[in-house]
Amino acid sequence: MIKTTLAWDVLGALPEMLQTAWGSLFKALCLEKGERLLIRGGTTSVGLAAAAIAKDHGAFVAATTRRPDREKLLRASGVDQVFIDTGSIAEQVKEVFAGGVDKVLELVGTTTLLDSLRCAKQRGIVCMTGIVGNKWSFDNFSPMDAIPTAVSLTTYYGGAEDFMLTPLDKLAQQVASGKLHIQIGRTFGLDDIVEAHRCMEENKAGGKIIVLT
């Protein structure tokens, strides 16, 4: 049960977004305070939520975007280091973080996953949660070539059990108090559903899209 005074346009954005971010960070990636996290696809709604949660947890947060004008949006969610994503950023990441990052949250999908694996240090973990790159599988996959030595690859897809284990009430309280900054992109009425879909497809929201009836 969630007890909150948050408005519906904010509250409606939280459950699935926060569950996916929380589960990815703490069930799949086992994120610890002080670790270096890279979020691939940082301006997605889950990416922005994950950045805010990870920062509040005490992690150093890096994130990617294809658009330089989105850096301010990322930093508002707690991102410490922004990488402009060209599709191949592993060398750039390792120049900033010697040996690579501790954990990688992959939200783009198979189009960048191989490069994301190269961003992780030995004994690091890469979790594939999102597929916003619209490609669901590899054309060819050679695990021995794709997965660096001592780097772990996992996935997260939260079900009903994970939803019940997510501390949504606590997170909602943190959002209401301003401790946890969650980006709400745009709110639409049901009559504007076509425009809402267009906004989503063109990645213009800058956060979660809400449709109110």
Side-chain angles (χ1 to χ4, degrees):
M1 180 181 295
I2 301 178
K3 297 180 180 179
T4 181
T5 57
L6 289 170
W8 278 111
D9 60 340
V10 177
L11 182 60
L14 300 185
E16 182 180 4
M17 178 174 62
L18 291 184
Q19 181 226 330
T20 303
W22 182 272
S24 298
L25 293 175
F26 300 115
K27 182 174 184 178
L29 288 172
C30 302
L31 185 70
E32 298 287 348
K33 181 179 180 180
E35 288 189 319
R36 301 169 298 180
L37 169 72
L38 172 65
I39 303 173
R40 197 77 181 254
T43 59
T44 61
S45 60
V46 172
L48 293 169
I53 293 170
K55 184 65 175 180
D56 182 67
H57 189 66
F60 184 95
V61 183
T64 71
T65 177
R66 292 175 297 174
R67 293 170 47 181
D69 63 334
R70 290 296 180 94
E71 180 172 349
K72 185 177 180 179
L73 174 67
L74 290 168
R75 293 195 181 277
S77 287
V79 173
D80 301 291
Q81 175 74 44
V82 176
F83 293 101
I84 304 304
D85 202 335
T86 61
S88 178
I89 64 167
E91 295 304 319
Q92 185 181 356
V93 168
K94 288 183 176 180
E95 287 179 4
V96 176
F97 305 105
V101 295
D102 300 287
K103 308 289 170 66
V104 181
L105 175 55
E106 175 61 75
L107 298 172
V108 178
T110 58
T111 56
T112 56
L113 179 58
L114 297 183
D115 189 62
S116 289
L117 285 163
R118 294 177 57 233
C119 293
K121 70 175 188 180
Q122 288 197 357
R123 296 183 178 82
I125 305 174
V126 178
C127 174
M128 181 168 163
T129 295
I131 314 179
V132 297
N134 294 322
K135 186 174 182 181
W136 291 73
S137 60
F138 291 111
D139 295 326
N140 295 288
F141 181 65
S142 173
M144 294 294 288
D145 294 328
I147 304 175
T149 297
V151 171
S152 298
L153 172 62
T154 187
T155 63
Y156 180 77
Y157 179 76
E161 181 180 352
D162 286 332
F163 183 81
M164 297 303 295
L165 292 174
T166 305
L168 290 174
D169 187 51
K170 178 181 178 181
L171 293 171
Q173 291 177 22
Q174 291 177 341
V175 173
S177 69
K179 182 181 180 183
L180 188 64
H181 183 63
I182 297 297
Q183 302 276 5
I184 305 300
R186 292 185 59 185
T187 301
F188 296 89
L190 192 59
D191 292 340
D192 300 316
I193 191 68
V194 173
E195 181 60 26
H197 274 280
R198 183 178 295 114
C199 179
M200 178 180 67
E201 292 296 332
E202 295 177 357
N203 193 25
K204 291 182 176 180
K208 192 70 171 177
I209 293 174
I210 305 299
V211 178
L212 298 177
T213 59

